[in-house]
Each structure stands twice: as C-alpha cells, then as structure tokens.
Amino acid sequence: MSKKHAGGQQKEANVAVVIMAAGKGTRLKSRKPKVLHEVGGRTLLSHVIAAASGVVDAKQIFTIVGHEAERVQNAVAEFGTRFVEQPEQRGTGHAIQTALKSITDYENVLVLSGDVPLIRTETIEQLWRFHQKEDAAMTILTAAPENPNGYGRVVRRRAGSAEVESIVEDEALTSAQRSIKEINSGIYAFKTSALEQYLGGLKANNARGELYLTDMAGVLRAAGERVVAVQAEDAAEVLGANTLAELAALDARMRATTANRLMAAGVTIFRPDTCVIDAGVEVEADAIIEPFVQLLGRTKIGAETRVRSFSVIENCTVGERVIIRQSCVLADSSVGDGADIGPFARLRPGSEIGEDVHIGNFVEVKKSKLHAGVKAGHLAYLGDSEIGAGTNIGAGVITCNYDGVHKHATRIGKGVFVGSDSTLVAPIAIDDGAYIGAGSCITKDVPAGALAVGRGRQVTKEGWAEARRARRKAQEQG
C-alpha cells in the first residue's frame, strides 16, 4: 500500500524506517558523535535520512539516538523525523528492541545505519520491493566489494537462491567460506510481527556482551521463518567509515559523484578534482566552474554563469549569466541575472544583489539590497543598506551602520552618485538623483536632486613646505 503526495511522488504507508544512530564512534577518536561527522557537506545521518525520505514520510522515520542524543536531534531537526532514545547502548539488537514499541503500527520495518552516507533512495526501494516480493520475515541487503575482508559473509542455501542459510563473521569463516565475496551490509527489512515474536530470543553470547541484530538471521531460520538477501548494485553504497581517513575517502567519492552528475547535465567543470562541491548544490546547464572553486550547502547556480577560481559560495542563489570573478566569498545571499562580482569581493549573509549590478574588487556587502544596475567598483563597505537602481558608489565609500550599540539603516535612492571616500553615517536617507561630493562625511538626510558636501574647506599656504625644510636644515647645522 502506498499514498500519493503533492507533486505526484508515491511514498509507502505500511512500513517504518528505523535508523541506528546511538553509538559513539570511538574509533574516530573524536568527541563528536560519529553520525554528525560530515561528507559531501552534510552529516552522515543527514544523508541517510534524506535517502529514506524518498521512500516514506518523515513521520515514518525513527532515529535511534543515545550518545549526545540532544545534539544529534538538533542537528537533523529540519527533517521532522521522530526519535527513540537508547540511554544504554547494548548493541544493534538492543537498539531495535528499544524502538520496537514505537513501530508496532507498521507491518514492516526497514533498518538502516546512520553512518552509511552513500546509500541511495533507489537502493532502499530495491530492498523494500524485494522484501515484499519474497514475503520474507527478514531481508538482508548485501554487497560484493572487491575486498570483503573484515565483513561478515552471507551464506546462501544454494547458488542462485534468494534464501540465506547464515551470516558468518569474518573471524569465524572456514577456508571454503572465505572465498565468498557477498557481505552483510547491516541494512535489513523485517516483518514487524517477526521482530515482536523473535527479537527477545537474541543472546549476548559474544565478547562484548551485546545483542546483535545480525543474529536474527539465525534465530528466524531456526524458527522456520523465511530469510532472504538481495545484493546492492554498487557495493560502495553500504560503506561506512571507522577512521577520519576513511571518512575523507567517502567524501571524495561523494564529491566526485556530484561533479560527474553536474557535468552529465551540461555543466562545465575544469579540474573537478580540485573543486569542493557539496551534494546539495544545484547548477544549471552551460554554467562554467573553474578550478579550486567551493560550492557549498544549498547553493544554486544559474545557466551560463561563470565562477572563477578560488571563489567560495555557500547557501547562495546565483542567477543566469553572472560572472563571479576570482577569490570572491559569498554566503547566504542572492545574486541577480547578469551581475558582475569581484574579484576579491565579499557578500555577507542577507545580501540581495539585483540584475546587472557590479560589485568590484575589495567591496564588502552585508545585509543590503542593491537594485538593478548599481555599481560599487572599489574598496567599499555597504552594510544594512538599500540602494536604488542605477546608483554609483565611489571608491572607498562606507556606510557607518553601527553606533557601538545598535545597527542602523542607510537608504539611497535611484540614480544617486556617491563620491569617493565618503562616509554615510546611518540612520540616513539620500533621495533619488542626489550627488555626494568626494570625501564627504554625511550625517543628515539629502533631498532628491541635491548636492551634499560635508568636508572641511581646503586651506593652501604657499611656501610653507620650503620654509619648513629650511628650518629643519638650520636646526641640524646648529
């Protein structure tokens, strides 16, 4: 049974997803919970939840938390999933025992690991469809990596059979079994009724004294229940990481996949191996990404836009036909079509750059709206401002938006000319068509069409420099 959501996507209704994310990950030698380490710009757990969200609604996803539970919950709160707390971590079997009472309304449950970020929605669906087709009590997602050493092997009842005889841990393999390439991924589908009936039969008869969900295969087989396996198409999807080096390898793999996806969609990326592109980034066809660019978070880049080397863009929406020149830093901002940014420009959070705006070298914009055609070519700071269409901001202009306690706004109208090296002391309004003389300190509002000059009158004393040099020479000789 499935239900249709807005947008036409079918999501399953009679299955829950349980994600195991309670462990410490001590082998990473980090104080951070393992599932909160990042690859591809998102936490390990976020990737898994995102993949599961393509199969079921968020409210059907139950994340088991334990170590630093509150921190983990806060990190993925945006997804709107449910949480089950496992205060004492006594193994994967114990984790599912803890979650069981929360999922009894569902006929089936998919069990995922919170530290396998490469898992795809399509693979979770593959597991779910096979589980339904085989009408099994337990379905195991397997993989066949080139090097299976260290992983438990899946022993099938006979060659070509879907049914599983047993799962044998690596250290317990016989010489004949060691030739088996198929491994247990730790990802499963269960009938909920089978868990309710048999999960209590797990025994902690191992060196760590824990309850292992892997052992359910043997428990169910002994009870005459059907246990089957289906192999993932790509073994890399089920890879986890126990060291920071392994995390880095997963990150590289994910970013390479992202770059290849974008290039297949018509994006030119020069030297993709040098670029850092997060998994959630969207780039339209005919955009060009030069070497050593970072595109982070939820950034979106429009068609025919060019991002030049060493620029860093995070959580920004950039329009079409934009040029982001070398070494620009943009964060939490938007850039309209045809804009020209940089080089060495900075857009701080809350900046709205309109169409055909020019932001030049060493210009910093913060929480400001620049309407179409504004030009700020050199060495300016524009903070807490709104600047009307066609206005020109001269070199060295700054908006003095902070009085030591509060921030204040600057409003500049359309077609204004602000001369170089002017300071605009907020709160202040400069109306349409006004001129500000170079070097002015403007502290009062300027009406439309007016000229405002706020600087000391120039005084020229002829012969002063020559007289001064003569006095110094006389002092030195005396």
Side-chain angles (χ1 to χ4, degrees):
M1 180 173 64
S2 63
K3 53 187 177 180
K4 197 168 188 177
H5 290 248
Q9 186 180 13
Q10 296 283 346
K11 293 192 178 182
E12 303 301 325
N14 68 336
V15 58
V17 172
V18 174
I19 301 175
M20 292 184 287
K24 294 181 179 180
T26 52
R27 284 177 287 183
L28 289 176
K29 296 180 173 58
S30 170
R31 290 179 292 182
K32 183 189 297 184
K34 181 178 183 180
V35 295
L36 296 191
H37 283 265
E38 294 187 0
V39 299
R42 301 175 71 177
T43 65
L44 302 180
L45 180 56
S46 292
H47 286 292
V48 178
I49 293 176
S53 296
V55 180
V56 300
D57 278 345
K59 293 301 182 185
Q60 294 165 242
I61 300 174
F62 298 82
T63 302
I64 302 175
V65 295
H67 176 61
E68 294 205 43
E70 184 176 356
R71 184 177 178 185
V72 174
Q73 290 182 56
N74 289 339
V76 295
E78 63 181 290
F79 290 98
T81 63
R82 301 184 188 184
F83 297 94
V84 175
E85 188 162 0
Q86 183 190 14
E88 182 184 6
Q89 290 85 59
R90 294 175 45 222
T92 54
H94 177 253
I96 301 304
Q97 287 179 348
T98 303
L100 191 57
K101 61 180 178 294
S102 299
I103 59 173
T104 52
D105 291 338
Y106 300 94
E107 296 175 17
N108 298 274
V109 57
L110 304 175
V111 179
L112 309 179
S113 296
D115 62 351
V116 286
L118 303 185
I119 192 73
R120 298 180 304 131
T121 295
E122 293 81 359
T123 302
I124 299 173
E125 288 179 332
Q126 176 193 8
L127 171 65
W128 168 234
R129 300 299 175 204
F130 192 82
H131 179 69
Q132 290 178 297
K133 173 177 170 288
E134 295 293 327
D135 192 29
M138 178 183 185
T139 303
I140 305 163
L141 181 66
T142 69
E146 290 185 13
N147 182 7
N149 292 338
Y151 290 94
R153 308 299 204 283
V154 175
V155 180
R156 298 192 183 240
R157 297 193 70 177
R158 59 184 178 275
S161 172
E163 292 197 54
V164 171
E165 183 67 36
S166 61
I167 300 174
V168 182
E169 294 305 318
D170 184 73
E171 61 271 15
L173 291 171
T174 65
S175 56
Q177 290 171 334
R178 199 159 286 282
S179 64
I180 297 173
K181 294 284 189 180
E182 191 173 22
I183 66 166
N184 172 31
S185 72
I187 296 173
Y188 312 100
F190 291 97
K191 284 184 178 178
T192 308
S193 58
L195 289 175
E196 291 177 312
Q197 186 172 358
Y198 298 109
L199 192 60
L202 292 178
K203 305 295 183 183
N205 52 357
N206 52 72
R208 300 183 66 176
E210 294 183 344
L211 301 176
Y212 292 147
L213 192 60
T214 305
D215 294 343
M216 278 297 291
V219 170
L220 290 170
R221 285 281 300 119
E225 297 285 352
R226 185 169 169 79
V227 179
V228 300
V230 59
Q231 187 171 308
E233 294 179 6
D234 184 358
E237 287 190 53
V238 304
L239 294 178
N242 292 315
T243 67
L244 293 177
E246 289 173 350
L247 274 177
L250 288 182
D251 181 79
R253 181 186 291 269
M254 182 172 289
R255 294 189 189 282
T257 299
T258 299
N260 289 334
R261 169 176 58 81
L262 293 175
M263 289 188 287
V267 179
T268 296
I269 306 177
F270 297 122
R271 294 287 306 277
D273 55 309
T274 69
C275 295
V276 177
I277 304 177
D278 283 354
V281 168
E282 299 176 23
V283 187
E284 294 184 12
D286 296 317
I288 298 174
I289 310 301
E290 294 190 359
F292 300 101
V293 163
Q294 295 187 40
L295 303 178
L296 310 176
R298 298 178 298 278
T299 290
K300 297 180 180 180
I301 305 292
E304 299 183 60
T305 285
R306 188 177 192 117
V307 183
R308 308 212 63 177
S309 294
F310 305 107
S311 289
V312 180
I313 305 176
E314 183 174 9
N315 296 327
C316 290
T317 299
V318 179
E320 298 183 358
R321 303 179 310 282
V322 173
I323 176 71
I324 307 292
R325 300 186 186 276
Q326 293 91 336
S327 301
C328 292
V329 179
L330 288 65
D332 300 288
S333 297
S334 63
V335 179
D337 295 348
D340 182 342
I341 310 296
F344 303 103
R346 183 183 182 192
L347 302 185
R348 290 169 57 190
S351 297
E352 300 177 47
I353 307 303
E355 294 184 6
D356 301 314
V357 167
H358 170 57
I359 300 294
N361 47 284
F362 302 104
V363 173
E364 178 179 347
V365 183
K366 172 255 179 185
K367 199 177 179 181
S368 294
K369 184 173 185 177
L370 279 60
H371 291 269
V374 169
K375 292 180 173 58
H378 330 271
L379 303 160
Y381 170 68
L382 306 172
D384 299 288
S385 305
E386 182 169 2
I387 303 175
T391 285
N392 185 87
I393 305 295
V397 170
I398 62 171
T399 56
C400 304
N401 57 330
Y402 185 49
D403 64 7
V405 179
H406 302 292
K407 297 291 180 69
H408 300 282
T410 296
R411 184 181 63 80
I412 302 175
K414 301 176 183 177
V416 172
F417 183 92
V418 182
S420 296
D421 202 28
S422 292
T423 56
L424 310 179
V425 182
I428 196 169
I430 301 170
D431 288 343
D432 296 351
Y435 269 65
I436 306 299
S440 293
C441 178
I442 303 300
T443 60
K444 297 179 181 179
D445 292 351
V446 180
L451 167 65
V453 181
R455 60 187 181 222
R457 183 183 300 274
Q458 180 173 325
V459 177
T460 303
K461 297 183 178 182
E462 295 187 11
W464 182 89
E466 290 182 3
R468 183 175 183 271
R469 284 192 289 270
R471 286 196 301 271
R472 288 188 61 182
K473 185 175 181 181
Q475 290 172 353
E476 291 170 359
Q477 291 175 347

